[in-house]
Amino acid sequence: MGTRSPGDRLVRRSVRHGGGWTIALAGVALLGAAAQLFLPTALGHAVDAALGDGSRWWPLVAGVLVAVLIATDTLSDLATGYGAARATARLRDQLTRHLFRLDVRQARRHPVGDLTARLVAQAADAGQAGNAVVLGAVAVIPPLGSVVALTLLAPALGLTLLAGLVLLTVLLRAFVTDSSTVITAYQRVLGAIAGRLLESTGGARTVAAAGTVDQERERILEPLPELAEHGRRSWELLARAGARTAAVAPLLTLAVIAVGGYGLTAGWLTPGELVAAVRYATLGAGLGAAVAALNRLVRVRAGAYRLAEPLALPVAPVGDRSLPRGWGELTLRGVTVHADDGRPILSGVDLTVPAGGTVAVVGVSGSGKSTLAAVAGRLHDPDAGEVLLDGVPLHRLDPATLRRAVGYAFERPVLVGATVHEAVGLALPADAAVSPPDAPATPPVLAATRAAAVDDCVGRLPDGFRTPLHRAPLSGGEAQRLGLARALAAERLLVLDDATSSLDTATEHRVSRAIAGRAGERTRLVVTHRTATAAAADLVAWLDGGRLRALAPHRLLWSDPAYRAVFQAGEGTP
């Protein structure tokens, strides 16, 4: 027996996510199908009763069944809505959590716009799994039940309907396979367009400055003809399936009516049974609900497969250890990192950053500086070797402990949160990150913004710390300082990846003093291209081609012409 694919497993999981609403839908739908199947019999008996041959209760029974159908239809709509909403929410939560557990390199394999499309659109499609499975299963009950009911009335009637249903099944056999392929391709192209659009809007100023708006629009919409083709193909398949059903169903109904008419004249059917037979023929041949159910199942499966792709990416294993007492000694042992194409970015790096010390990481572009900074705080794991903080391998640390111990600040920080206060307090414990409505900010957030020399900027915002981020007119340097303030919550290790490049000299000096703090208080690993920053550090780690070429004070390295060439001309002196 073959192994189920991740997409199929996700469909099953989505069905379970519907919870009680899916179970309720199954019960209501089955009750409706039973009422639908029994109604033709009740109507037939009602006709015979009207002709003086049968119980007078049958019209009342038919009326009750109609009321049941109305009630079950209403309850089905309610159950499908709530069940799909519940399952979709669970799938989105699962995907979001999984994405944030991936290391940086794994997450970059899918463009942000494509992931957004999967999270929004494909999760909604896959969230319909419970509804699609239940309604798909129930959709086959009326045709099969009609075959049984007609066989009980007269075997010839049942055989006639069964022959027609077999023919329809053959005609619709390729619909599921073809439609699944087309819908998956449509979703893939739509995700690609979304990814390009997000990239372009992120660089809108660059596009405007370069005067390439038209070219960028063409680049974003380049896959549009392919998207349109997949869309047309999808509608063509659905229309073809509907047309086949529409062509065969009336002929099938006429065949049952013809056989039933003969049975009436031959005396083996009553007028009421003929009415019931006609109703069962219409019910059995009306496969529109079955085609709709098939189409829904196809969309669910395609959406589930799109969600399963990023969910299949392996997450970094987590540990459960805490840190011993210490001030953040960082040790890299034989650290090696490869690019996706196998090219080495770091090769066997051995480095120890003393507790409470400052080490500047320098090197030409592409030497592996940012990669070293990433593995130092476990934004991703090395392919070989290990990284330790105060003697404990990072992969063995409890994630919450690791994030409290290590703080990151970047050249272009992404500020996360509804307000400026939330953006700065992101790395703080909950009681320190959230302030009462009547308070401007918590003491830790105030202290961090002062240390990062950004408190005056926040004070000028319309609502101070309560200003929504999207309404905060921040310059590049101000955003960088807010990112620094967020990173200063680190307890043991502060990793700065060119995080002061947008600051003026006076502000950088003030921030540098805050970053340094008291002697031995916290370890700093500073990626920089500035001579002054390297000179102020205790040691300089000089990377060259992914290898650690030297670890020494800046003043000793400055005599080497190759080291001086690392820095931009005219940037300063030792």
Side-chain angles (χ1 to χ4, degrees), residues 186-279:
Y186 182 91
Q187 292 174 344
R188 174 183 54 78
V189 177
L190 190 63
I193 293 176
R196 295 185 183 189
L197 178 61
L198 191 62
E199 293 170 1
S200 182
T201 53
R205 290 191 301 175
T206 302
V207 172
T212 57
V213 175
D214 292 338
Q215 295 92 318
E216 190 64 16
R217 182 175 63 248
E218 291 177 2
R219 185 185 74 87
I220 294 171
L221 299 180
E222 180 185 3
L224 197 58
E226 183 182 357
L227 183 73
E229 177 60 28
H230 291 315
R232 282 193 296 269
R233 178 64 176 158
S234 175
W235 284 111
E236 286 173 3
L237 290 171
L238 186 59
R240 189 177 302 167
R244 289 171 177 173
T245 303
V248 176
L251 296 178
L252 181 56
T253 304
L254 288 174
V256 172
I257 292 174
V259 175
Y262 174 79
L264 179 63
T265 59
W268 40 270
L269 280 182
T270 67
E273 288 174 336
L274 178 59
V275 170
V278 172
R279 291 287 302 173

Side-chain angles (χ1 to χ4, degrees), residues 33-69:
Q36 198 174 25
L37 278 175
F38 195 57
L39 182 59
T41 297
L43 290 175
H45 283 297
V47 170
D48 286 339
L51 296 175
D53 184 17
S55 173
R56 301 295 180 181
W57 288 99
W58 283 110
L60 179 61
V61 172
V64 171
L65 291 175
V66 171
V68 169
L69 286 173

Side-chain angles (χ1 to χ4, degrees), residues 470-483:
H470 68 276
R471 290 179 47 215
L474 300 172
S475 67
E478 290 166 345
Q480 199 170 64
R481 280 183 278 165
L482 282 176

